[in-house]
Amino acid sequence: YLTDVISEDPRPDCRPARRHRDPCLRVVMDRFVVTSNGPLSGTVRAGGAKNSALKLMAACLLADGRHVLTNVPQITDVDIMGEVLTAMGVTVTRGTTPDELVVDTPVDVLPEAPYDLVEKMRASVVVLGPLLARHGRARVSMPGGDDFGHRPIDMHLHALESLGAAFESSHGYVEGTVESTVAARPRLVGTRVVLEYPSHTATDNVLMAAVLAKGTTVIENAAREPEVCDLAAFLNGMGARVQGAGTSRIEVEGVDSLHPARHRVVADRVVSATFLAAAGLAGGDVVVEDARADHMDMLIRKLTQTGMHITQGPDGLRAERDPSVRLRPVDIATLPYPGVATDYKPLVVTLLTVAEGVGIVTENLFSGRFRYVDELRRMGADIRTEGHHAVVRGVPRLSGAPVRSSDIRAGAALVLAGLAAEGETIVSDAHHVDRGYEDFAGKLSSLGAKVSRSD
């Protein structure tokens, strides 16, 4: 598979691609090359959570001054969010250490998130709440991101409308304004917001909007993810008054202003789960030193049912599996937190491809998130999909093949599949994985995997 990125090659010895008058062409490939290399062993760090860092960066819009975030992963999505903020007049730089991010927010920002940046990453829509809360207006392009089904932002808009915002949509942009005024400035007004579904990003958006609203806001049916708790802790560090984060009912008492703060990003539970799954597929003994078992209760329960041994120790979360014994099948369904996250599902499906028996996986959140299954089939997996369900019949061993990544987690899962495959596996479109994983090939290699990155 080749990515369709084509550029001119200035080298004089480059042969013309079509006719002698055509410019020389070069096809740019980004891929992982994976070969099975036996059981894994060692210690690895997951690093900061992508799904928290991006929301924390957006929250920096709520107060002018210098914010410092630590344990921020060096991934493409953080770079994109940095570009979104930079387009608004915010200065985003790496600090004294590679994992430190310094966000300098001016008094006045341009309250617009342009299409060419927002279409790359859906999480950019979370700037909507902070901009409306502090500036009374926002113009944000309709979001893009990973390709796994239609995910409208109507829930965000309805929730913000209940706080006093009004929206118009045209030419691919959503334009919001705050109609009510308090002390001669536009200001949202606290109210009771009931979310139709415990959406993580919708909860974040409403939470950030509510901290500067007049009065008290109660968010019912709120998302309960650890990343929501992390955002609430950062906001409280800025002077907000948020209670109940981590439960389905969050109460926010609005304040007149906030101040900049310093905060450490929570560890990434999905990256942690990826390294646990790697130990399951290749066998061995792996410690994820910053992983938190209390953030992955349901997933750990399911991995344990497959025959893996997972324990929380002083050095971190440890995953062990005897490579001479095949995994057992499990049935699993994705649900809002604390259920099994949809981001875990490609990892679980890949584990089941080499289990001894049949497992059924049900996707309850995004209808298009079985698109990587065809790639696993290319590697010899026996998977049948029907609507929201996938029936996975395990085979003794996968076979290496050229496959293509369609999104962040699917790409990571295909790399892990190569750990349990005979021969060489080439995973193209590796840039998807770069959006959520820092030096993925390097970290797997440190555990003894034979994985390289080729651009």
Side-chain angles (χ1 to χ4, degrees), residues 40 272-288 296 298-312 317-323 325-330 347-348 350-352 354-355 416 419 447:
L40 305 182
S272 299
T274 303
F275 291 121
L276 299 182
L281 281 158
D285 186 348
V286 171
V287 175
V288 187
M296 300 184 289
M298 188 61 69
L299 177 69
I300 290 174
R301 183 184 306 176
K302 290 295 183 180
L303 293 181
T304 301
Q305 291 173 6
T306 68
M308 295 181 63
H309 185 56
I310 300 176
T311 55
Q312 181 80 63
L317 197 58
R318 184 176 187 179
E320 301 171 272
R321 186 180 81 80
D322 182 350
V325 180
R326 287 182 66 184
L327 295 166
R328 296 189 295 268
V330 294
L347 307 172
V348 175
T350 303
L351 278 169
L352 293 177
V354 292
L416 298 192
L419 302 179
L447 298 174

Side-chain angles (χ1 to χ4, degrees), residues 244-280:
T247 73
S248 59
R249 186 180 189 273
I250 300 177
E251 186 171 323
V252 185
E253 184 181 345
V255 297
D256 293 332
S257 63
L258 299 172
H259 56 77
R262 184 182 183 92
H263 183 81
R264 181 177 176 82
V265 181
V266 70
D268 196 311
R269 58 196 170 99
V270 183
V271 175
S272 299
T274 303
F275 291 121
L276 299 182

